[in-house]
Amino acid sequence: MIDRVIYELYGEKGLAAIIKRGYKVIIKVNMVGPNMGLRGEKGRSIITDPRIVRYVAEKVRDIIGFDGKADLKVVDGVFSRDPNPSSKWNNGSFYWARLERTGDNLVNQEDF
């Protein structure tokens, strides 16, 4: 599905149409409220699906390479008055986003 969208946007070259080896790339993840969502799905409904982020990041890394010139960062946009946006004491922080950590692409308690 992701490959199809990339093809429709950039044609045969895919992401290589806009990025090259050695580029510095930032992927900005949409994250509005990691504490929001349906019961059992909290942290999944308001963020970009981590599986998509991982897939696109891997495609970008394949293009830009792993040498010292290339750089890849994935950032979020959590707005918090807390000076530490990843504080586990703040239920609206990035800490509570359910990211895929167990490798099964399902929502698990271990994904916190």
Side-chain angles (χ1 to χ4, degrees), residues 20-27 60-61 64-74:
K20 306 288 182 236
R21 185 161 194 77
Y23 272 26
K24 296 180 186 306
V25 178
I26 297 174
I27 298 174
V60 168
R61 180 54 76 185
I64 66 173
F66 291 88
D67 58 16
K69 296 177 187 173
D71 195 13
L72 173 62
K73 296 196 185 306
V74 178

Side-chain angles (χ1 to χ4, degrees), residues 11-56:
E12 291 290 329
K13 288 186 175 181
L15 292 173
I18 59 170
I19 58 176
K20 306 288 182 236
R21 185 161 194 77
Y23 272 26
K24 296 180 186 306
V25 178
I26 297 174
I27 298 174
K28 193 270 185 198
V29 178
N30 289 324
M31 176 177 256
V32 177
N35 60 328
M36 297 177 173
L38 298 173
R39 186 178 193 151
E41 289 286 323
K42 288 204 181 292
R44 290 274 180 152
S45 63
I46 312 294
I47 64 173
T48 304
D49 190 303
R51 295 168 294 183
I52 294 172
V53 175
R54 180 176 52 220
Y55 185 81
V56 172

